[in-house]
Amino acid sequence: MIFDVLTLFPGMFDSPLQESILGRAVKQQLLEVRAHNLRDWAEGKHLTTDDAPYGGGDGMVMKPEPVARAVAALKQKSPAAKVVLLTPQGKPFKQNDARSLAQESGLIFICGRYEGFDERIRQTLVDEEFSIGDFVLTGGELPAMVMIDAISRFLPGVLGSGDSALTDSFADGLLEYPQYTRPAVFNGLSVPEVLLSGDHGKIAQWRREQQLLRTFQRRPELLEDVFLSNSDKVFIEKLKCQLEQQEEIQGDDAD
Ligand code: 4GX
């Protein structure tokens, strides 16, 4: 897969792609990231890529023409590539988006600096607009790198069989169960006995219940979109009853 990135800071993509799993995948040519300097498509003595906003106000706005020229040039080489814009106003980027974008032959990421884009970039050049979370960063480069990382895990051969994308958190839409390794006691805390029992059926059941418990406690909204077996549903009903009882006790205390 080819990821083209338009940015004023192409160097930001170097080291994350040289290390660890992505470093190996790049060496094996399973993916390629081409970071292009947007200034290469700028014009004028100062090669400006930004300008003051119409209507006044603080901050600068990214000019549309350099981005349009750059996207046109990149699309000549990869006509099928989808153009992705990173902004806090975008659609929240989810694991399912990573999974489906991994099916594309190429993606072109537009990374903004400044306070904003000329709206016509969004209207005429962009296929999909994503946000990686409800916080404000200094530019779109780290969000693009985050998306490249999450998408690359779904490309054939990138993950070894050990850390398969199919078996980890979110593969089934639930949070992960707690994991333990040696020593058996650490800072006075023991490993749950069931994990030492050797009973693989019991261990699988405990892990499933821990996943359900964690998801129920920390991210209950995720349970709406998950396939639940009958025994999963029974377990969650128990959790709901426990929660109601606790709330009754707290209500009584307050009286
Ligand atoms: N998830 N940012 C983009 C510059 C900018 C401002 C306005 C277009 C319009 C972000 C996020 C994010 C900060 C990237 C502002 N570009 N992107 N940048 N959160 O915070 O994706």
Side-chain angles (χ1 to χ4, degrees):
M1 176 151 185
I2 294 181
F3 299 95
D4 284 296
V5 184
L6 283 171
T7 168
L8 290 169
F9 302 98
M12 288 183 71
F13 293 84
D14 290 346
S15 72
L17 294 160
Q18 286 168 12
E19 309 279 348
S20 188
I21 292 173
L22 294 184
R24 186 182 60 199
V26 169
K27 274 200 190 123
Q28 293 178 337
Q29 296 184 308
L30 302 174
L31 64 108
E32 188 179 340
V33 179
R34 303 175 182 162
H36 310 271
N37 197 328
L38 189 58
R39 215 172 289 287
D40 295 347
W41 288 276
E43 284 180 339
K45 189 160 72 113
H46 300 290
L47 300 180
T48 48
T49 54
D50 62 335
D51 204 343
Y54 274 117
D58 285 336
M60 297 296 270
V61 175
M62 187 166 259
K63 288 166 67 62
E65 307 98 306
V67 181
R69 283 192 288 266
V71 168
L74 297 178
K75 279 209 165 172
Q76 289 229 308
K77 283 193 189 166
S78 324
K82 260 197 182 162
V83 178
V84 177
L85 179 64
L86 292 312
T87 80
Q89 293 97 59
K91 186 171 83 170
F93 178 65
K94 299 280 172 60
Q95 184 72 348
N96 280 338
D97 299 309
R99 199 189 316 274
S100 59
L101 289 173
Q103 303 300 315
E104 303 287 335
S105 59
L107 294 172
I108 300 172
F109 291 95
I110 303 176
C111 305
R113 289 272 146 178
Y114 317 119
E115 281 62 45
F117 280 90
D118 186 292
E119 187 66 18
R120 292 163 295 185
I121 293 176
R122 194 178 261 131
Q123 289 169 326
T124 61
L125 300 171
V126 172
D127 296 310
E128 301 227 51
E129 184 173 348
F130 282 110
S131 164
I132 65 154
D134 292 336
F135 38 76
V136 182
L137 301 167
T138 56
E141 287 79 8
L142 292 175
M145 193 58 237
V146 164
M147 285 185 62
I148 290 168
D149 188 307
I151 293 165
S152 295
R153 296 178 73 258
F154 287 103
L155 300 178
V158 168
L159 293 187
S161 52
D163 40 12
S164 160
L166 298 173
T167 63
D168 62 3
S169 198
F170 287 114
D172 54 11
L174 295 172
L175 301 184
E176 269 293 10
Y177 52 79
Q179 303 242 47
Y180 297 87
T181 184
R182 280 171 287 201
V185 182
F186 174 72
N187 281 355
L189 297 173
S190 310
V191 174
E193 204 144 354
V194 60
L195 297 178
L196 311 173
S197 70
D199 184 335
H200 296 293
K202 259 190 165 172
I203 291 171
Q205 189 194 340
W206 180 85
R207 286 179 167 166
R208 182 75 185 174
E209 290 180 357
Q210 290 293 313
Q211 283 193 280
L212 294 167
L213 174 64
R214 279 211 160 162
T215 310
F216 180 79
Q217 288 175 332
R218 299 180 184 199
R219 301 289 305 279
E221 78 280 8
L222 295 179
L223 291 171
E224 307 297 323
D225 301 328
V226 166
F227 174 78
L228 298 172
S229 69
N230 284 333
S231 62
D232 290 340
K233 287 176 188 163
V234 170
F235 184 72
I236 287 173
E237 281 312 308
K238 272 201 287 185
L239 293 177
K240 284 184 182 163
C241 286
Q242 283 174 16
L243 191 68
E244 276 172 30
Q245 281 172 350
Q246 278 171 10
E247 280 165 354
E248 273 173 40
I249 293 167
Q250 279 162 359
D252 291 346
D253 282 353
D255 291 340

